[in-house]
Amino acid sequence: MAYYLVKRHLPGITPEALTGAGLRAKSCAAEMTEEGIPVRWLRSFFIPETEETHCYFEAPSSDAVKEVNERANIPFSKIHEVQELVPEAV
Amino acid sequence: MTEDSVSRAIKTAIKRAKRRKRLKVTRDDLLVGLLQVIARFDIVQIGPLTIDLEEFEEDLKDHTEKTDKIKVAYSSKAAAVFEKAAYIARKDNSSKIELVHLLVAFAYEDNELMAQLKEKYGISGMEWRSALSKWQHVSLEKTEPSSKIGAGNKYTIEFKEKQFFSPDEAAEFLGVHTQTVRGYIRTGKLPALRLAGERALRIQREDLLALLEPYKQEET
């Protein structure tokens, strides 16, 4: 399993739109997991200054991440595979 | 972890979309999912409203079939319902979108299945909403409009200081559709003023607040 970062530029987004998108991402990830592709939405950060959102997913491939975002109907600009670094591990 | 009712409702909605072999989870799918989760023996009881799912068998019944192969995505219209629900949840001071918020989000839908339900049972958006408020707590009072993130809550402050509202602003303030506000004005439920010699309407803050009454919890 790998970690992925999904970048989105969402100008003028409201907190409601973000929450709604979160619920859709969560449900679509659960749906895909049930279908045998284990995708998990880990967490997201919204950057007010640039109106960008960075969302982190755990998935077997970037295609799976792409699919979960398409199913949830959330636009994105880029998907990157990322390496995790946590304070506990250093 | 136990599955909450929202998750179950959404799951049912997705299943229904798959069963229809369509590629989109529509608003109707979502509504059916929500109703099925709260239904007992195919009867949905929301406040004084009793909806018989049998009557909508074609559309409302869920059949369990193997449809795992079909991949479905949310339609934009369904996505908009989530957004509306999130807005209602926030007004309700809830950090999460609950089932009742999603159901309230349908109150002003006049399309598809919701329109059929409204017609069949002769209910209006307001009735639907107030019926739900009796079914489970949902506030109709806290109606701070939302602002876009990073805009410094300018909108909220503007509303707080405002004395006169345009119909659009009044609608947002109350969390209802503009047409609803215009309807209230037409029927005299909401007093409005006209700018001298012009078409533009203004509504006083006090008159908007007077529209809201405290909700009394009933025994269930």
Side-chain angles (χ1 to χ4, degrees), chain B residues 160-177:
Chain B
K160 269 184 185 150
E161 290 169 352
K162 239 178 161 60
Q163 181 57 34
F164 295 98
F165 292 71
S166 72
D168 281 349
E169 288 167 340
E172 193 171 350
F173 184 77
L174 292 173
V176 302
H177 196 271

Side-chain angles (χ1 to χ4, degrees), chain A residues 11-21 23-28 30-31 34-35 37 46 48 51 67 70-73, chain B residues 4 6-7 10-11 14 18 68 70-76 79 82-83 86-87 90 95-97 102 146-150:
Chain A
I13 187 109
T14 60
E16 287 75 44
L18 279 180
T19 311
L23 187 51
R24 297 199 306 276
K26 200 168 120 181
S27 62
C28 289
E31 185 65 17
E34 248 179 46
E35 289 169 11
I37 306 164
F46 179 74
E51 298 189 308
E67 189 176 332
E70 282 169 354
R71 287 195 191 193
N73 198 352
Chain B
D4 61 25
V6 173
S7 302
I10 291 174
K11 217 183 229 177
I14 294 173
K18 284 186 167 185
D68 290 353
I70 304 162
K71 293 170 181 175
V72 292
Y74 285 108
S75 72
S76 302
F82 280 96
E83 202 171 311
Y87 175 65
R90 206 171 79 119
S95 60
K96 281 185 120 175
I97 300 174
L102 274 161
S146 64
S147 58
K148 99 182 201 195
I149 305 175

